[in-house]
Amino acid sequence: MQSNERLKDYCRQAAEQIRWKRARPAVMRELEQHLQDQQEAYMEQGHGQEQAARMAIEQMGDAREVGQALDWAHRPQTPWFLLLAMMAFLVLGAALQVALTRQMAPLASYAVAAGLFALGYFGDISLLGKHAMEIYLGVLAFAAVLLIGAEPVAGAAVFHLNPISLYLCYLALVFPAAYGLFLYGMKGLGARGILLSVLGYLPFALILLMVPTLSGLLIYSASTGVMLAAAIRKNWFGAKQGHPVLKIVAPVLLPAGALAVAFLSVGENRLQVFLNPGQDAADTGLIYCRLREAVAQAVFWGEGNADLSVIPDLSENYALLYGIQKFGLGTFAALMLLVLAFGVFGVIRAMRQRSMLGTLLVLAATLTVTLQAFVYAYANMGYGLWGTLSFPFLSRGTTALQLDALLLGLMLGALRTGAWVRDPQQPQRTIRFLRIER
Amino acid sequence: MPIDKSLLTGSTTTLILKLLEERDMYGYEMIETLSERSDHTFDFKAGTLYPILHTLEKQALVESYEQRAPQDRIRKYYHLTEAGRLRLQEKQKEWTSFVTAMEKILKGGAVHAVQ
């Protein structure tokens, strides 16, 4: 056997012991490199090429034993608690929707959601990093096409492609992750990168304004503001990140600007109805009054007395209110504490990720899901100024359910394998193409 | 002088972190440097080194990067992180305490024997 083949064969035998296949190529490369260095050293001592190869392999150790030791070092860290919590929520959500709709049909959506979760969880997140800018531009183009082809339904843009109808407000669930990939492409671009990141935020914000979904805009803007702050904190843009004011203003500008736009869009009349719902007995004010009354009639533990038949779209927009009436405010409070704990945990784990890709993906998923839940909760309590999107896994809404499942799959996948994701040394291909230089 | 393996267990991490404190190195370079500086007392097998290095990387005590080397090769270098630096300091303190305590016992045993 040729010495090169002998070395490669050894590395293959060692790498085969590593159960996580994705780790094998890098390990093989490193071992082969070492063996070649060792072989050259033996050849300099006067040994022949073949003899030097055999000695190098002997020096390395038994391939199987070396591989087994490497397998220990390359085991993915399964986030068991989050994984089990995720499964529990899926089951709970399916049960809740079956109870609310009195149909078995929602189970199919939950099965698809479980499949999408698995796709995100077992997928290779480094592929997202390799094509970050292309994915951002692809999502933008896709969203623009949907918006152009959408029709207004009850004031919101809906894209029809029989038999599917897509409510474009749910694009707000995808945009933070796509923006995260944009940020990922801004590595080492200094102050210019931060300014480009503010610009990169705008197209998605504009689309959400045109849908319109003010809840979606706020969720997107809050998430992206935090993600930009995290990228600056981790020095992603490089040593010359610009004036300290820019580093503070840029991340704050995104959610602050969105909040200002959201308040201006609401209009004074709507604001008055929100503050004094009794003034509008026919429409929005009536909904506010019924919601607040239903909450007031709930008990801390157990079933309340409110008549929920007067609440429209209960399973879709007010599933939490059903839960409050059925199980009490205490259960609701516990659920929201759990969501808050998830949010805090997610942000902490995101900042501890070794790769920026892991940080951004975990942040995008954590913030999207957490903010979505709180916006929904406020609306269910009768204090939602800008409407709801969905409560992750619990409220009816196939698109939101499946997007949330995919997002959380990506998040848990990043937590599981993020230790081995490498951020690029060179700028992304698209950045080089656009000649955005460091 | 060959050293009992049980004495090396647990010290290997400290040795690797200490080397990386000076400068970034790749695996083969670490083995050669350790051997040379210890007058061949520490002759690690590469198959022992790499699992330890990869575990240290998983623990974020070191981080790796690839760099082009002569003859168009790509070498994987390791760099000590801040967390790695702190762990090294702890390990060094631990080692100093251990050695001091051992010295007291060993020297104390010799004194009693003489008496």
Side-chain angles (χ1 to χ4, degrees), chain A residues 10-86:
Chain A
Y10 174 90
C11 297
R12 204 176 304 122
Q13 283 179 44
E16 272 169 10
Q17 304 303 313
I18 301 172
R19 277 173 280 185
W20 190 38
K21 289 182 183 171
R22 225 173 284 157
R24 290 181 189 172
V27 169
M28 279 177 61
R29 271 199 308 274
E30 191 176 18
L31 292 182
E32 192 178 340
Q33 190 54 64
H34 182 101
L35 286 168
Q36 285 173 353
D37 285 335
Q38 187 68 75
Q39 181 190 29
E40 277 172 18
Y42 286 135
M43 285 168 69
E44 278 170 20
Q45 290 172 13
H47 298 281
Q49 193 175 7
E50 285 300 320
Q51 175 68 7
R54 277 192 219 102
M55 290 170 71
I57 286 170
E58 198 183 315
Q59 202 278 339
M60 182 70 86
D62 177 70
R64 199 179 158 83
E65 284 175 15
V66 170
Q68 284 170 352
L70 286 166
D71 175 57
W72 266 106
H74 287 274
R75 291 209 179 146
Q77 297 166 298
T78 305
W80 285 110
F81 179 72
L82 280 178
L83 197 56
L84 291 170
M86 166 82 193

Side-chain angles (χ1 to χ4, degrees), chain A residues 1 35 76 113 125 157 185 190 206 222 249 261 317 342 349 368 377 395 411:
Chain A
M1 189 188 274
L35 286 168
I125 65 165
L206 199 60
V249 166
V261 167
N317 293 334
F342 165 80
R349 287 298 300 269
T368 303
S395 67
M411 173 187 173

Side-chain angles (χ1 to χ4, degrees), chain A residues 60-224:
Chain A
M60 182 70 86
D62 177 70
R64 199 179 158 83
E65 284 175 15
V66 170
Q68 284 170 352
L70 286 166
D71 175 57
W72 266 106
H74 287 274
R75 291 209 179 146
Q77 297 166 298
T78 305
W80 285 110
F81 179 72
L82 280 178
L83 197 56
L84 291 170
M86 166 82 193
M87 286 178 194
F89 264 94
L90 271 175
V91 168
L92 190 64
L96 183 63
Q97 284 304 314
V98 165
L100 277 171
T101 60
R102 298 176 204 275
Q103 293 174 12
M104 300 302 280
L107 291 179
S109 302
Y110 280 85
V112 173
L116 286 170
F117 172 80
L119 181 69
Y121 184 67
F122 291 111
D124 184 356
I125 65 165
S126 65
L127 289 175
L128 295 176
K130 281 178 193 152
H131 305 286
M133 292 306 287
E134 289 91 333
I135 294 172
Y136 168 83
L137 292 169
V139 169
L140 184 56
F142 182 65
V145 164
L146 289 180
L147 190 63
I148 291 166
E151 292 166 11
V153 174
V158 182
F159 184 86
H160 296 289
L161 188 68
N162 282 328
I164 301 166
S165 291
L166 256 175
Y167 282 79
L168 297 199
C169 57
Y170 295 125
L171 288 172
L173 305 182
V174 177
F175 285 169
Y179 177 77
L181 294 177
F182 181 93
L183 279 182
Y184 192 63
M186 295 290 113
K187 180 179 179 178
L189 294 183
R192 192 185 310 189
I194 297 178
L195 290 171
L196 283 171
S197 299
V198 174
L199 290 176
Y201 153 88
L202 289 175
F204 288 147
L206 199 60
I207 289 174
L208 292 173
L209 261 179
M210 291 168 72
V211 165
T213 169
L214 295 176
S215 301
L217 176 66
L218 289 171
I219 290 170
Y220 167 67
S221 304
S223 303
T224 52

Side-chain angles (χ1 to χ4, degrees), chain A residues 174 292 389:
Chain A
V174 177
R292 294 177 196 181
L389 281 179

Side-chain angles (χ1 to χ4, degrees), chain A residues 10 26-27 29-31 33-34 36-38 40-42 58-61 65-66 69-70 72-77 354 419-420 422 425, chain B residues 26-29 31-32 43-51 53-55 57-60 62-66 71 73-76 78:
Chain A
Y10 174 90
V27 169
R29 271 199 308 274
E30 191 176 18
L31 292 182
Q33 190 54 64
H34 182 101
Q36 285 173 353
D37 285 335
Q38 187 68 75
E40 277 172 18
Y42 286 135
E58 198 183 315
Q59 202 278 339
M60 182 70 86
E65 284 175 15
V66 170
L70 286 166
W72 266 106
H74 287 274
R75 291 209 179 146
Q77 297 166 298
R354 294 200 23 245
W420 307 113
R422 292 287 171 272
Q425 299 282 330
Chain B
Y26 56 98
Y28 179 76
E29 194 182 2
I31 288 178
E32 290 298 296
D43 268 336
F44 287 110
K45 281 189 177 300
T48 308
L49 176 77
Y50 285 107
L53 273 175
H54 293 184
T55 302
E57 191 175 15
K58 196 175 177 180
Q59 294 168 347
V62 304
E63 56 193 16
S64 67
Y65 59 92
E66 288 180 341
Q71 295 170 4
R73 287 183 187 170
I74 305 283
R75 279 216 176 100
K76 190 174 178 185
Y78 291 87

